[in-house]
Amino acid sequence: MTDSKYFTTTKKGEIFELKAELNSDKKEKKKEAVKKVIASMTVGKDVSALFPDVVNCMQTDNLELKKLVYLYLMNYAKSQPDMAIMAVNTFVKDCEDPNPLIRALAVRTMGCIRVDKITEYLCEPLRKCLKDEDPYVRKTAAVCVAKLHDINAQLVEDQGFLDTLKDLISDSNPMVVANAVAALSEIAESHPSSNLLDLNPQSINKLLTALNECTEWGQIFILDCLANYMPKDDREAQSICERVTPRLSHANSAVVLSAVKVLMKFMEMLSKDLDYYGTLLKKLAPPLVTLLSAEPELQYVALRNINLIVQKRPEILKHEMKVFFVKYNDPIYVKLEKLDIMIRLASQANIAQVLAELKEYATEVDVDFVRKAVRAIGRCAIKVEQSAERCVSTLLDLIQTKVNYVVQEAIVVIKDIFRKYPNKYESVIATLCENLDSLDEPEARAAMIWIVGEYAERIDNADELLESFLEGFHDESTQVQLQLLTAIVKLFLKKPTETQELVQQVLSLATQDSDNPDLRDRGYIYWRLLSTDPVAAKEVVLAEKPLISEETDLIEPTLLDELICYIGTLASVYHKPPSAFVEGSRGVLHKGLPPRTGSIEGPESPDTAPSGEPAADQPSVIPTQGDLLGDLLNLDLGPPVTGPPMATSTVPMGAVDLLGGGLDSLIGGSGSFTAAPSSTAPTNVGAPLGSGLGDLFDLTAGVGTLSGSYVAPKTVWLPAMKAKGLEISGTFSRQVGSISMDLVLTNKALQVMSDFAIQFNRNSFGLAPAAPLQVHAPLAPNQSVEISLPLNTVGSVMKMDPLNNLQVAVKNNIDVFYFSTLYPLHILFVEDGKMERQMFLATWKDIPNENETQFQIKDCSLNADAVSSKLQGSNIFTIAKRNVEGQDMLYQSLKLTNGIWVLAELRIQPSNPSFMLSLKCRAPEVSQYIYQAYETILKN
Amino acid sequence: MIGGLFIYNHKGEVLISRVYRDDIGRNAVDAFRVNVIHARQQVRSPVTNIARTSFFHVKRSNIWLAAVTKQNVNAAMVFEFLYKMCDVMTAYFGKISEENIKNNFVLIYELLDEILDFGYPQNSETGALKTFITQQGIKSQTKEEQSQITSQVTGQIGWRREGIKYRRNELFLDVLESVNLLMSPQGQVLSAHVSGRVVMKSYLSGMPECKFGMNDKIVIEKQGKGTADETGKSGKQSIAIDDCTFHQCVRLSKFDSERSISFIPPDGEFELMRYRTTKDIILPFRVIPLVREVGRTKLEVKVVIKSNFKPSLLAQKIEVRIPTPLNTSGVQVICMKGKAKYKASENAIVWKIKRMAGMKESQISAEIELLPTNDKKKWARPPISMNFEVPFAPSGLKVQSRVDVRGTHPMPWREEDEKGTGAADTVSSPSGWSESCTEKPGGDIGRCHLGRQDDRRGWPGGHEHT
């Protein structure tokens, strides 16, 4: 008999017919009818009208029929809650059935019916089933607790199911243990601060024993749970690792990856001198390679994870380059991932092989793959200096193929190679120029134009080439327009005589005929620069550019550490923390690697770069050419401009206010900005620089001497009267990058308090406790305890009013108490909030004037330097200081934990105790709170 | 965890839809259809995120299986589960096709209810499932039978049921190897590795304790003299295995400490282990392709194969598959040995040779007529593939096993009769064509492909029978 016929009934009056059949006396007919109903349900038809008739079929001895009815119930119970209650009796009865399979089926199904009334009836049967003699029923009941918790968390707690679930971790049956672990882990995830999964050496031991005995899926649950455990010392970490390593030989890739996760995490705690550390490193490579012989989808997951592992611990796979070579029949997603890893593993030792492979790939059929391969060749050139020459010649070979997209991609990467190795490979420019006409993608056109402009003096017909682009100026993309403008100005500065007409043409196209503000602004800057002082223009526009660094698109270290804790999961596939794609509170608990112990390196190691890499090699990303900031770098970095000091600032403020007054004086006027004390600028600063510079150096020298920001005295947040005798007072502080909430808990009641826990409501900046509230001993009456609760900012975000409002819940053995407090915003100012000068300029200009807010800070008697250093302590950085007409102007920047930059201009008049504060920020709603922070810091 | 599971036909119509979690709505079914199955551009990742919902999919023939979730699930587990799901369905009703799925949808729902609870995978071993999901109802079971079922489903040996009886106890071992080979245009081997599988067919009574030995270097060191004698007896050398993985029946902690592979096998056929090795690989064949383009409408192909093993050994069932361009209009083939045919539907010339002794050589030449075409897309030049059986394993792996059937007579150490299949490799041709060999897991035969210019890669396969 086939069931496919059920899919084909589509006539009208079907529901009516089904109704009749469902009420038939014949069992067979009933069953047929239910099958038809399920088939309709599957294809999306609404058959909820049949609810009473289907439920009537539930009382049956036929298990197949019963299962079908249950399936129907799970789908429609929610939409028909009143009628669903009809089913309760049958469920309760089934939970008493002598057949364990039926008992389990009933409890499993009941948990899937999300109707309050049914849930109430579920409690008793569930309690029995959790203690059932049959393991099959117990393992089903364990999952059912998680289901019930999802529907009604309070009910689960009140009924004491959590304790029963905890007991199941010691069950004699491994599958019951595994399901209990899975259920507890899930419940614990929605209560980050609760100590639900109370992992201690004893329970860990039980889990490790069950690990050897349970199903492959159970092993995954247990390993994923183990990964959340924090061993107390390196010896415990090692002994867990030893018992987990055999899992690396499991046929199930998920078991292997979860084991790798546990090992990668606990390895952090092992000393590198340990023999075992080396053994473990060696043991990790083969299973990772073996994952590449799995099915393609799993290979994809494995490769995304290997990408992380290679960044965290490059030593593991450094000799395994060959296994990442692309195979003919790999799906495209596997090919692209392999390519990424090949570049990460490329080194001087294997570069010849890698290049030979990449050259092959560049002749394949798939366009995306070919493009990525060409780009990879460029990245090899930048990464491995010895190979640069070979890479360039390979790229030239590829350009000769005349395959359009290959040529364009090659030109884009050659531009980067020029940036990395100036004055080495310019001989290839002639070849590049031959392909000018075939370029149709903006990125490639922009790259080519950059090359022509940059090397205009070596290209005889540079003016003709650029002029040819100019014809269709308005049809070009912004990227190309900006690049063309800069290139022609460069050309003009190099060959002023022949190209005057051209430069005028482009300046007028950019400033008068364009609607694009970026383009207009840049046009005006050049125009003014050229007309005011061509010598200065030359030094600015043709300044030496910083070299680009070698590693690109590395994952930021803290994110990498977090992702290592998520090996095997979706987060590791997306390379994003779970909070980026998971809704609600689930899974947003921030995870981090354990600190290394027993190591000679000291406590600072967990967050530092992968071992063996000196800190100086901190990679950064190549700025995209044509991007505004990138180009401003072109403009402004370089030797100090020796322009006439104050002359330009007298330009009247007219239509081009920013250009004329503010900006000009900022760039060239006072001099303090141009002398960037960065490593790229010469150290002996020219004489014309104003006195501001000295101060500036002083300022920068002062960085880092102050370790923490201003801490307000503790205030009472929760009076004892409102909290049954618990008084909480506290304050917030920030010390070397970590925020903490310093609390004093005082017991003013007559009974002992214990079991403290704390939780935050969602708030504007995602503040959340980084660790559970630890009160070690019960708090006796009249005793108080001081606690510093570390906070992080990865919690869920919800805009509060006022913005800095924080709602807190504190629980103890007596009750749960709620209070709210305002936190000072300066605890959120991060340490790297110092903006580059030119970045500051660009950003200040970029932020619309409507976003500017002004405040007055009254009654402050400090001088400018004292203000700077005081603010610096709270991570408000002074980028420059200048003196205009007797007033001190401080330009400052700060960054909030969520990445919002705030720029400030602080005007201080020596005689006047009131300061003027102008704040510019893309999120103007924070300005008011920043002002409050300023006031607090300056006045204390 | 997994929030829901959908099965679609090639048109995107839902055949099975089972939702496990409240956060997955009915619209998820449509979201996947619209964004993946009906997507304008072929989706380039097996994981897709649509509106904060993640979809994992695998395709079997033209059937789509999709798992959906809104949480940060263990992605590797989801895929392993989808594969397992396919295995279970295949074990129940054969090939996964639209017709079979429609015919068995009630069974599939029953299975889905059992093997996935609230999105957590449960015991999914067919051996165990078949004892109580039968589509026959389980009314007639006695109490003992019921508790036997539940203890098996939840027990430590979930893959085998008690009380299996065979009149003749038999055990078969197949060693299937595929050699992956990459050569430079000069014929130098750049990389080669064997990935092998040991497939076991067990028809044994009771709860048999099996022990499995192999001539792996570390094993021999660990086992010391006793086994060394045994390997010495068979006159074979030890090999170095890079890595191996085992079926869940194998006691991994025991393997880790003693390198002994001990287990109670499931009944019937299963994959006991997989392994990889990169050292001392014997390449049984060389394939030398020569391709010449004569004008724009003609292609001349000549392929030479050389057997590269002892003349006393015999390779069997050799099949060479030479891909032809899509615009082929006709082919003329001449071969010295065996039979060759152009198969237009497969875009390939298939050349079959019944048997071939070691150190021999044979060749085929073909003239391929092409239709003139404007198609700009170039032909990807797929590799030549080659399938065959040879009586040795390219990696040199040897297997010994010992079985104790509880309650019956123990079977003593029994030397497995070695027979195997081997592999092919390649040499470059002046035209710059290349070829490679492959063996799909599951096939008994190695294959060899015509490949890209400049280099050649191969996956020749090996195979042993008992």
Side-chain angles (χ1 to χ4, degrees):
Chain A
M1 184 199 70
T2 66
D3 287 342
S4 57
K5 57 175 186 269
Y6 303 116
F7 281 88
T8 52
T9 46
T10 49
K11 17 175 194 167
K12 284 189 179 164
E14 187 193 356
I15 298 270
F16 189 76
E17 265 178 36
L18 282 173
K19 214 178 180 88
E21 284 176 36
L22 284 169
N23 290 315
S24 155
D25 295 335
K26 288 179 191 150
K27 273 189 179 171
E28 262 318 295
K29 201 150 197 188
K30 261 189 185 177
K31 197 163 138 188
E32 298 283 290
V34 176
K35 282 189 183 178
K36 281 184 203 163
V37 171
I38 301 290
S40 308
M41 192 176 85
T42 299
V43 294
K45 278 183 216 154
D46 185 10
V47 284
S48 58
L50 296 167
F51 201 91
D53 310 283
V54 177
V55 172
N56 269 337
C57 304
M58 195 170 160
Q59 283 279 15
T60 171
D61 300 340
N62 185 321
L63 199 68
E64 191 190 1
L65 181 59
K66 196 183 272 277
K67 284 183 179 172
L68 288 174
V69 175
Y70 280 178
L71 189 63
Y72 179 91
L73 265 175
M74 284 187 263
N75 254 292
Y76 286 114
K78 219 169 143 192
S79 56
Q80 311 255 348
D82 293 333
M83 290 210 260
I85 204 81
M86 288 160 57
V88 163
N89 264 333
T90 319
F91 279 127
V92 174
K93 215 178 115 214
D94 278 357
C95 288
E96 307 274 334
D97 197 280
N99 185 342
L101 293 172
I102 293 187
R103 291 202 296 278
L105 177 66
V107 80
R108 184 165 69 210
T109 313
M110 253 176 124
C112 296
I113 297 178
R114 304 174 67 92
V115 173
D116 282 347
K117 283 179 199 152
I118 292 206
T119 345
E120 283 164 27
Y121 285 100
L122 174 62
C123 291
E124 275 322 298
L126 178 59
R127 196 186 314 283
K128 269 188 208 154
C129 288
L130 281 166
K131 303 217 156 109
D132 200 285
E133 52 167 18
D134 195 293
Y136 184 77
V137 181
R138 289 201 301 277
K139 72 111 183 161
T140 311
V143 176
C144 190
V145 175
K147 291 178 186 169
L148 190 59
H149 186 269
D150 193 41
I151 303 170
N152 189 341
Q154 196 56 48
L155 187 69
V156 171
E157 272 174 52
D158 296 347
Q159 296 279 332
F161 285 140
L162 293 181
D163 292 325
T164 324
L165 201 54
K166 278 189 204 166
D167 294 342
L168 288 184
I169 289 198
S170 318
D171 200 278
S172 57
N173 184 295
M175 193 155 176
V176 177
V177 177
N179 277 2
V181 167
L184 275 174
S185 304
E186 175 165 343
I187 295 171
E189 229 171 63
S190 51
H191 292 290
S193 51
S194 74
N195 219 2
L196 235 185
L197 253 177
D198 180 28
L199 295 177
N200 51 48
Q202 289 77 36
S203 57
I204 289 291
N205 199 23
K206 278 179 200 153
L207 291 184
L208 286 167
T209 312
L211 188 62
N212 288 327
E213 293 166 352
C214 61
T215 64
E216 45 194 327
W217 313 117
Q219 296 185 18
I220 299 169
F221 306 153
I222 293 179
L223 287 168
D224 285 352
C225 171
L226 276 179
N228 291 329
Y229 176 65
M230 194 70 81
K232 61 180 192 305
D233 55 27
D234 53 336
R235 283 180 55 192
E236 193 188 358
Q238 177 173 345
S239 88
I240 295 175
C241 287
E242 277 166 359
R243 292 179 68 179
V244 166
T245 32
R247 298 298 120 196
L248 295 174
S249 305
H250 202 286
N252 186 316
S253 308
V255 175
V256 176
L257 269 177
S258 290
V260 168
K261 163 165 60 192
V262 175
L263 297 175
M264 283 291 287
K265 205 175 161 187
F266 289 2
M267 226 163 132
E268 286 294 311
M269 297 185 67
L270 302 178
S271 157
K272 285 192 174 130
D273 314 326
L274 224 57
D275 288 344
Y276 183 70
Y277 180 85
T279 322
L280 201 54
L281 272 186
K282 270 190 218 127
K283 275 194 176 166
L284 275 170
L288 287 173
V289 173
T290 300
L291 290 175
L292 298 182
S293 13
E295 289 83 349
E297 290 88 1
L298 271 174
Q299 280 187 50
Y300 174 73
V301 174
L303 285 164
R304 294 292 286 172
N305 279 287
I306 289 173
N307 199 327
L308 298 173
I309 293 168
V310 163
Q311 288 182 61
K312 181 73 192 163
R313 296 191 178 277
E315 63 271 29
I316 294 178
L317 287 167
K318 67 179 173 203
H319 299 303
E320 303 288 349
M321 170 61 95
K322 283 178 185 171
V323 300
F324 296 103
F325 286 176
V326 171
K327 288 185 192 160
Y328 171 80
N329 48 358
D330 281 338
I332 182 69
Y333 52 81
V334 169
K335 286 185 176 171
L336 294 172
E337 291 305 318
K338 281 187 172 174
L339 207 48
D340 257 344
I341 295 171
M342 280 172 69
I343 302 164
R344 294 219 191 281
L345 290 177
S347 66
Q348 202 183 331
N350 56 25
I351 194 73
Q353 274 182 353
V354 174
L355 261 184
E357 280 292 303
L358 292 176
K359 202 175 166 186
E360 283 294 323
Y361 303 163
T363 61
E364 292 244 357
V365 181
D366 188 287
V367 176
D368 284 351
F369 182 57
V370 170
R371 282 176 181 275
K372 197 162 183 176
V374 175
R375 225 162 251 240
I377 296 175
R379 278 171 64 181
C380 284
I382 291 164
K383 192 173 173 192
V384 185
E385 187 164 358
Q386 294 80 358
S387 74
E389 194 152 344
R390 249 181 303 170
C391 293
V392 171
S393 73
T394 308
L395 287 170
L396 282 180
D397 289 349
L398 290 173
I399 287 175
Q400 300 301 348
T401 62
K402 302 280 178 198
V403 178
N404 190 281
Y405 53 85
V406 175
V407 174
Q408 311 211 38
E409 211 61 49
I411 287 180
V412 173
V413 295
I414 285 181
K415 180 208 70 188
D416 286 340
I417 296 177
F418 284 167
R419 287 286 306 270
K420 171 79 181 179
Y421 309 109
N423 303 318
K424 249 180 134 172
Y425 302 109
E426 282 76 3
S427 54
V428 307
I429 289 173
T431 323
L432 303 184
C433 290
E434 288 165 19
N435 293 287
L436 212 58
D437 300 332
S438 65
L439 308 178
D440 53 11
E441 290 162 22
E443 207 183 348
R445 286 172 82 85
M448 192 63 222
I449 293 169
W450 182 86
I451 293 172
V452 174
E454 187 66 18
Y455 300 102
E457 69 275 21
R458 312 189 196 187
I459 305 170
D460 295 337
N461 58 344
D463 49 343
E464 284 168 35
L465 294 176
L466 293 176
E467 198 172 357
S468 68
F469 282 103
L470 208 53
E471 282 159 18
F473 189 76
H474 290 299
D475 302 328
E476 299 283 2
S477 72
T478 311
Q479 188 185 9
V480 179
Q481 289 175 334
L482 287 168
Q483 203 52 259
L484 193 54
L485 172 62
T486 307
I488 291 179
V489 172
K490 283 182 189 165
L491 173 71
F492 170 72
L493 291 167
K494 287 173 180 175
K495 302 178 181 172
T497 47
E498 309 116 77
T499 56
Q500 199 157 4
E501 209 173 303
L502 195 62
V503 80
Q504 271 166 358
Q505 205 182 338
V506 76
L507 285 175
S508 86
L509 277 172
T511 53
Q512 284 157 25
D513 301 339
S514 171
D515 296 333
N516 184 327
D518 286 347
L519 187 63
R520 266 203 320 262
D521 282 356
R522 197 187 291 188
Y524 279 124
I525 295 176
Y526 285 141
W527 201 325
R528 199 162 289 278
L529 205 55
L530 291 173
S531 55
T532 315
D533 185 351
V535 182
K538 203 162 184 167
E539 301 213 36
V540 171
V541 178
L542 302 180
E544 208 174 297
K545 278 160 281 295
L547 299 185
I548 54 176
S549 65
E550 50 201 43
E551 276 287 14
T552 54
D553 53 61
L554 280 178
I555 294 173
E556 185 250 329
T558 47
L559 177 61
L560 180 63
D561 282 357
E562 191 182 352
L563 291 179
I564 290 287
C565 300
Y566 288 115
I567 283 177
T569 69
L570 263 181
S572 71
V573 174
Y574 294 145
H575 289 183
K576 284 179 190 162
S579 52
F581 59 92
V582 175
E583 270 164 10
S585 60
R586 257 203 194 133
V588 295
L589 180 68
H590 182 81
K591 291 191 186 178
L593 291 176
R596 189 172 287 278
T597 55
S599 149
I600 29 162
E601 289 166 283
E604 93 292 353
S605 55
D607 281 342
T608 49
S611 54
E613 264 182 46
D617 282 355
Q618 278 306 339
S620 65
V621 179
I622 304 178
T624 327
Q625 196 63 40
D627 163 284
L628 180 68
L629 289 179
D631 216 61
L632 275 164
L633 269 173
N634 262 353
L635 256 179
D636 297 315
L637 262 194
V641 176
T642 47
M646 297 298 282
T648 46
S649 62
T650 55
V651 172
M653 310 233 179
V656 279
D657 174 46
L658 265 173
L659 272 180
L663 201 73
D664 263 9
S665 52
L666 283 177
I667 292 180
S670 71
S672 58
F673 270 89
T674 46
S678 69
S679 54
T680 46
T683 41
N684 62 336
V685 182
L689 298 176
S691 61
L693 191 68
D695 292 342
L696 210 73
F697 276 125
D698 283 348
L699 272 181
T700 32
V703 176
T705 50
L706 294 158
S707 61
S709 59
Y710 164 70
V711 184
K714 290 193 177 75
T715 49
V716 173
W717 285 342
L718 182 70
M721 276 166 62
K722 286 191 177 172
K724 302 187 181 167
L726 174 68
E727 188 190 74
I728 300 180
S729 55
T731 184
F732 292 91
S733 65
R734 183 185 184 91
Q735 296 246 318
V736 276
S738 54
I739 309 170
S740 53
M741 186 188 217
D742 301 326
L743 295 166
V744 176
L745 306 180
T746 312
N747 182 355
K748 296 199 170 168
L750 293 173
Q751 63 180 114
V752 174
M753 292 179 178
S754 61
D755 303 329
F756 288 95
I758 193 164
Q759 222 170 326
F760 292 0
N761 196 1
R762 293 197 276 170
N763 54 70
S764 316
F765 293 91
L767 275 178
L773 187 64
Q774 294 206 319
V775 181
H776 292 292
L779 201 55
N782 270 328
Q783 206 188 342
S784 54
V785 60
E786 277 202 45
I787 299 156
S788 177
L789 177 72
L791 306 182
N792 57 31
T793 51
V794 296
S796 346
V797 173
M798 183 173 74
K799 196 172 170 187
M800 301 292 289
D801 189 31
L803 208 60
N804 56 345
N805 191 10
L806 179 68
Q807 296 177 340
V808 183
V810 171
K811 180 186 133 294
N812 63 10
N813 56 336
I814 300 168
D815 206 342
V816 184
F817 310 104
Y818 303 91
F819 64 89
S820 71
T821 176
L822 300 176
Y823 49 91
L825 221 57
H826 67 257
I827 60 164
L828 300 170
F829 298 174
V830 295
E831 274 65 26
D832 60 345
K834 185 161 186 164
M835 218 180 224
E836 293 287 331
R837 265 146 263 268
Q838 41 283 114
M839 183 90 144
F840 183 92
L841 286 179
T843 318
W844 183 274
K845 198 180 76 166
D846 227 6
I847 299 176
N849 281 343
E850 309 86 80
N851 282 13
E852 183 168 354
T853 22
Q854 293 205 334
F855 301 94
Q856 198 171 33
I857 301 173
K858 286 183 186 156
D859 298 317
C860 190
S861 54
L862 299 163
N863 69 14
D865 291 349
V867 165
S868 293
S869 62
K870 201 155 188 178
L871 291 173
Q872 174 127 20
S874 294
N875 294 336
I876 300 174
F877 299 95
T878 303
I879 290 173
K881 175 185 153 192
R882 67 192 175 106
N883 191 293
V884 179
E885 293 158 343
Q887 301 179 14
D888 276 324
M889 306 288 281
L890 294 179
Y891 292 93
Q892 298 174 320
S893 76
L894 62 96
K895 192 167 95 173
L896 299 176
T897 45
N898 56 358
I900 293 180
W901 284 94
V902 180
L903 311 187
E905 182 197 50
L906 190 63
R907 191 186 308 160
I908 303 171
Q909 285 170 301
S911 51
N912 188 346
S914 291
F915 298 172
M916 281 303 298
L917 177 68
S918 300
L919 293 174
K920 257 191 161 186
C921 176
R922 288 189 207 275
E925 55 269 54
V926 303
S927 298
Q928 188 199 339
Y929 303 95
I930 303 282
Y931 158 66
Q932 284 170 6
Y934 261 90
E935 190 139 76
T936 325
I937 299 164
L938 289 175
K939 293 195 178 160
N940 288 289
Chain B
M1 283 306 115
I2 298 174
L5 214 137
F6 310 129
I7 302 180
Y8 302 83
N9 66 8
H10 66 288
K11 286 185 249 167
E13 291 163 357
V14 198
L15 303 177
I16 297 286
S17 129
R18 175 76 160 91
V19 172
Y20 293 93
R21 296 261 171 162
D22 203 37
D23 54 3
I24 303 300
R26 181 84 204 174
N27 54 357
V29 182
D30 302 322
F32 182 76
R33 177 187 21 248
V34 172
N35 290 292
V36 179
I37 302 181
H38 292 168
R40 279 211 194 118
Q41 283 182 323
Q42 204 196 334
V43 173
R44 300 201 134 197
S45 155
V47 186
T48 325
N49 192 313
I50 307 161
R52 289 197 155 223
T53 310
S54 300
F55 294 83
F56 300 75
H57 72 265
V58 299
K59 256 187 112 175
R60 287 289 181 270
S61 59
N62 52 12
I63 296 295
W64 298 76
L65 279 93
V68 47
T69 181
K70 283 206 164 185
Q71 299 172 25
N72 182 30
V73 295
N74 189 320
M77 184 187 80
V78 176
F79 280 122
E80 284 284 4
F81 177 78
L82 287 174
Y83 302 141
K84 193 59 154 210
M85 173 82 207
C86 293
D87 291 349
V88 170
M89 290 198 291
T90 315
Y92 266 94
F93 52 77
K95 193 172 171 273
I96 295 177
S97 64
E98 180 171 354
E99 205 194 339
N100 276 346
I101 286 175
K102 281 185 169 175
N103 282 340
N104 293 284
F105 82 98
V106 173
L107 169 71
I108 295 175
Y109 276 126
E110 201 176 338
L111 285 170
L112 280 176
D113 198 43
E114 186 58 45
I115 58 180
L116 210 52
D117 190 6
F118 202 41
Y120 289 108
Q122 305 292 307
N123 194 332
S124 47
E125 287 298 317
T126 12
L129 289 172
K130 279 192 170 169
T131 59
F132 69 107
I133 296 187
T134 55
Q135 286 283 290
Q136 314 291 330
I138 48 167
K139 228 173 74 185
S140 60
Q141 282 158 350
T142 66
K143 203 151 186 210
E144 290 74 55
E145 279 169 342
Q146 284 164 6
S147 71
Q148 208 180 355
I149 289 170
T150 56
S151 78
Q152 195 211 331
V153 175
T154 59
Q156 297 177 16
I157 308 165
W159 51 86
R160 189 180 179 90
R161 63 190 165 89
E162 295 263 5
I164 298 172
K165 280 206 180 81
Y166 284 100
R167 201 174 284 171
R168 260 180 73 184
N169 285 319
E170 283 178 309
L171 184 74
F172 300 93
L173 271 180
D174 278 350
V175 178
L176 304 167
E177 293 195 335
S178 70
V179 181
N180 185 340
L181 173 75
L182 172 62
M183 282 170 111
S184 73
Q186 289 73 37
Q188 184 195 359
V189 177
L190 293 177
S191 86
H193 76 257
V194 169
S195 48
R197 310 186 307 135
V198 178
V199 175
M200 197 166 192
K201 284 180 200 143
S202 79
Y203 306 103
L204 300 169
S205 309
M207 282 292 181
E209 229 0 280
C210 296
K211 237 181 158 182
F212 185 101
M214 53 184 181
N215 58 335
D216 170 24
K217 261 183 190 147
I218 306 173
V219 172
I220 286 160
E221 277 161 25
K222 285 248 176 178
Q223 289 178 338
K225 250 188 168 176
T227 348
D229 287 348
E230 224 148 341
T231 44
K233 217 164 46 188
S234 57
K236 297 286 159 78
Q237 298 215 319
S238 58
I239 64 159
I241 285 182
D242 289 15
D243 186 38
C244 44
T245 61
F246 296 99
H247 184 267
Q248 62 165 324
C249 66
V250 176
R251 296 183 187 97
L252 294 179
S253 39
K254 219 163 178 185
F255 176 76
D256 194 57
S257 55
E258 303 163 21
R259 297 290 279 197
S260 81
I261 306 168
S262 63
F263 55 97
I264 295 171
D267 196 40
E269 185 173 336
F270 70 103
E271 189 182 288
L272 177 68
M273 86 181 258
R274 284 185 183 221
Y275 58 93
R276 270 188 313 112
T277 148
T278 41
K279 296 187 188 75
D280 308 322
I281 296 161
I282 315 149
L283 302 167
F285 280 97
R286 301 214 126 204
V287 176
I288 306 151
L290 284 161
V291 177
R292 201 159 65 92
E293 282 180 47
V294 188
R296 294 192 57 196
T297 56
K298 206 168 156 189
L299 213 60
E300 281 180 10
V301 180
K302 193 169 113 179
V303 177
V304 180
I305 59 170
K306 286 182 183 170
S307 55
N308 213 14
F309 43 88
K310 275 190 251 163
S312 58
L313 298 174
L314 215 56
Q316 296 188 53
K317 296 182 193 165
I318 301 156
E319 185 187 289
V320 183
R321 184 174 286 265
I322 304 158
T324 54
L326 297 174
N327 56 338
T328 302
S329 61
V331 177
Q332 280 163 352
V333 210
I334 309 157
C335 58
M336 298 172 4
K337 214 178 164 192
K339 281 179 191 164
K341 232 186 197 170
Y342 166 62
K343 293 196 172 167
S345 59
E346 295 165 39
N347 278 316
I349 300 165
V350 179
W351 176 26
K352 287 181 178 167
I353 303 170
K354 277 204 180 122
R355 56 180 68 87
M356 188 166 171
M359 306 313 276
K360 287 271 163 49
E361 185 177 315
S362 187
Q363 80 168 44
I364 182 173
S365 44
E367 270 185 27
I368 302 171
E369 303 279 345
L370 301 175
L371 291 170
T373 163
N374 298 329
D375 201 357
K376 271 188 185 167
K377 224 177 142 186
K378 49 179 184 171
W379 181 45
R381 296 195 165 190
I384 293 176
S385 62
M386 183 170 178
N387 291 341
F388 50 84
E389 285 181 18
V390 288
F392 58 88
S395 69
L397 185 86
K398 308 256 98 196
V399 176
Q400 298 149 338
S401 71
R402 178 187 173 87
V403 182
D404 296 313
V405 180
R406 223 178 283 157
T408 56
H409 315 286
M411 290 156 88
W413 277 99
R414 182 173 136 208
E415 284 283 330
E416 296 298 330
D417 207 12
E418 304 282 348
K419 215 207 284 171
T421 0
D425 71 87
T426 57
V427 188
S428 86
S429 52
S431 70
W433 270 50
S434 56
E435 90 282 26
S436 56
C437 309
T438 186
E439 195 218 32
K440 256 207 185 135
D444 312 7
I445 352 188
R447 259 198 262 143
C448 165
H449 295 285
L450 234 228
R452 308 169 322 192
Q453 300 189 328
D454 297 331
D455 83 13
R456 274 119 314 119
R457 39 193 71 197
W459 298 264
H463 178 123
E464 297 193 11
H465 274 297
T466 311

